[in-house]
Amino acid sequence: DLPYLAIGFASQLALGGNYAQMTALNDEAVFYLQFGAGTWSFNCWRTTFSSYGILTCTIDGTTIATLDNYSGGSVNPGRSTTTGISITVPGVYAFKIKTTSKNASSSGYNQRIWGLSFTRTA
C-alpha cells in the first residue's frame, strides 16, 4: 500500500517552471500507477485560459474528473481537487489524461499541465 503517489511529465512534478503542453483534440498521456486499496483524492495543477479545452481524467477507463480549462483570463497554475476515488483492489492501473472537447467559448484545445498527484485519504 502506497500512501502517496505523484507523477509529472518527463519525471518532473513541478509548480513554476516546468509543464507539459497538449494542443489538439484527443491528445493524451497514459501513466501506469500502483495504487493501494482505499479512498484517494486527485489534484491537478493546470492553466486555464481562453484557448483551453476540456480534460478528462480516467483510471482504467472510469472517469474520475472532467476539467473545463476554459477561462476568460489566465489562471496559472490553478488547482482542481477530486475526492472520493475508490480503489478496491490494490494493483497497477492505467491513469489517462485526454483532451476530449472544448467549452463553446474556447478558441482551442490547448492544455497546460503543471503537476498531478494522488493522495490516499482512507
Side-chain angles (χ1 to χ4, degrees), residues 1-2 35-41 59 84-91 93 119-122:
D1 286 354
L2 299 175
F35 286 93
T39 303
W40 293 77
S41 65
I59 294 177
I85 301 164
S86 178
I87 302 293
T88 56
V89 177
Y93 291 82
T119 304
R120 190 171 57 203
T121 57

Side-chain angles (χ1 to χ4, degrees), residues 18 24 44 51 67 76 113:
N18 297 302
C44 180
S51 63
L67 308 174
N76 192 22
I113 309 300

Side-chain angles (χ1 to χ4, degrees), residues 2-62:
L2 299 175
Y4 179 81
L5 289 172
I7 59 174
F9 295 87
S11 300
Q12 298 171 9
L13 175 62
L15 300 176
N18 297 302
Y19 60 85
Q21 182 91 19
M22 296 191 289
T23 59
L25 181 64
N26 296 318
D27 276 357
E28 66 182 34
V30 179
F31 304 88
Y32 294 92
L33 304 176
Q34 183 173 351
F35 286 93
T39 303
W40 293 77
S41 65
F42 165 64
N43 289 295
C44 180
W45 289 268
R46 82 267 194 249
T47 297
T48 60
F49 194 56
S50 61
S51 63
Y52 282 50
I54 294 174
L55 186 70
T56 300
C57 306
T58 62
I59 294 177
D60 274 1
T62 299

Side-chain angles (χ1 to χ4, degrees), residues 48-54 67-73 103 105-107:
T48 60
F49 194 56
S50 61
S51 63
Y52 282 50
I54 294 174
L67 308 174
D68 185 348
N69 293 325
Y70 169 80
S71 175
N103 185 298
S105 299
S106 179
S107 62

